[in-house]
Amino acid sequence: MEESLGGLSVSSAALIFLVLPLSAVVRLDGIGVGGRKLLLFTLVLVWVGDTAAYFVGRSVGRWRMAPNLSPKKTWEGAAANLVGSVLVAIVAQRWITEVPVRHLIAMAALANIAGQAGDLLESAYKRSAGMKDSGTLLPGHGGMLDRIDALVLAAPVVWYYFNWLADRTH
Amino acid sequence: MTLKRILTAAVLIPAVVATVWWAPTSVVTVAATMVALLALLEFFALGEHAGLRGYRVWTGFCAIAIFFTQWLASIEQTRELAGGLHLTRVPEAAEAFSI
């Protein structure tokens, strides 16, 4: 019985915290050209944010963000992550004309915060399992889960923000 | 390590961008499902390290079902408004959609 409950909790957690939120990328892509732009925007803001956090955290990071979960994450890296994503929104406003710029910036900021929460959540999983990386599939990045951890929570934020905006406007 | 990280990104990013921009939603759905299944396997490996063995097969089927349902919902998005009014968005209209 204990084994069943343990298995059920792992399976349910995988569906609730991984599969269901990640499936928002399909809904975003399905909107059409505007959706494809928003999906690329989501991917780029996660990539730029992650890269900014990595390099800024490594070079000037002093204040540890979550020493128990992820010892290398710093507040300086987190700030660079957020700033990087907002910069992506500012640059992308010329291309994503479907969404007003203030909403694009808010969307990027909220998606970035959600993405960083997703990153920390995955760190918590790895920490509880006593592992450093989720896998070795992607050289230099670790596993697939390591690569998509931020996207998993950022994508539904963009999708629901877009829906809220569409409902509010029409 | 950093060079390896950059090289991997340099190979994967163009592939992902090209898939999202040019491939139809059905292909993006299949690609996203594959990514989710790979991530699921790693998630289950984490669980096993913590002493918890998940139900891999039925969780995998549920994951495929979730992505399939999302794809179905995305190809014909119907909204129900007050008064029983239904709005159905067709792809041609979605192309011209803006807020």
Side-chain angles (χ1 to χ4, degrees):
Chain A
M1 182 64 182
E2 241 175 60
E3 265 184 32
S4 303
L5 283 175
L8 196 63
S9 54
V10 170
S11 294
S12 306
L15 291 174
I16 294 167
F17 296 116
L18 175 63
V19 176
L20 210 52
L22 185 63
S23 68
V25 300
V26 175
R27 300 302 296 273
L28 272 174
D29 190 80
I31 298 170
V33 173
R36 264 175 246 154
K37 285 183 191 174
L38 279 177
L39 180 52
L40 279 180
F41 168 67
T42 311
L43 290 166
V44 172
L45 77 87
V46 167
W47 293 335
V48 170
D50 274 356
T51 308
Y54 180 74
F55 287 107
V56 171
R58 261 172 55 134
S59 54
V60 298
R62 295 286 177 273
W63 298 90
R64 300 249 167 113
M65 193 183 182
N68 293 329
L69 288 180
S70 186
K72 285 185 179 171
K73 282 193 179 59
T74 60
W75 282 108
E76 291 89 340
N81 199 332
L82 183 62
V83 170
S85 294
V86 170
L87 285 177
V88 168
I90 292 167
V91 172
Q93 55 146 328
R94 288 168 177 269
W95 185 53
I96 305 175
T97 50
E98 293 88 349
V99 180
V101 63
R102 65 180 191 283
H103 286 294
L104 206 57
I105 290 171
M107 199 183 265
L110 289 173
N112 180 275
I113 291 165
Q116 294 201 47
D119 205 343
L120 279 176
L121 196 62
E122 200 235 352
S123 295
Y125 298 149
K126 288 190 294 190
R127 177 64 48 157
S128 61
M131 290 169 80
K132 187 184 172 290
D133 287 326
S134 68
T136 54
L137 189 68
L138 305 170
H141 293 262
M144 186 59 81
L145 203 52
D146 290 314
R147 198 53 277 160
I148 63 163
D149 53 5
L151 178 69
V152 164
L153 291 192
V157 168
V158 173
W159 164 248
Y160 282 110
Y161 194 110
F162 178 77
N163 264 274
W164 169 76
L165 197 57
D167 280 345
R168 198 166 156 255
T169 313
H170 291 281
Chain B
M1 188 66 171
T2 304
L3 182 67
K4 209 187 270 185
R5 190 181 173 93
I6 292 169
L7 284 175
T8 305
V11 171
L12 285 181
I13 287 174
V16 172
V17 170
T19 305
V20 170
W21 192 248
W22 283 296
T25 304
S26 54
V27 174
V28 173
T29 306
V30 171
T33 308
M34 299 303 287
V35 167
L37 290 175
L38 287 170
L40 265 183
L41 288 177
E42 291 176 359
F43 190 87
F44 284 131
L46 290 179
E48 279 178 22
H49 265 83
L52 299 166
R53 187 170 167 78
Y55 298 102
R56 290 171 182 244
V57 176
W58 81 255
T59 312
F61 276 121
C62 286
I64 292 168
I66 286 170
F67 275 91
F68 180 68
T69 308
Q70 293 285 54
W71 174 70
L72 281 182
S74 73
I75 56 173
E76 188 183 335
Q77 293 178 22
T78 303
R79 282 167 187 269
E80 189 178 346
L81 302 178
L85 180 65
H86 285 76
L87 281 180
T88 300
R89 187 142 51 84
V90 293
E92 295 77 33
E95 299 294 311
F97 182 73
S98 67
I99 294 171

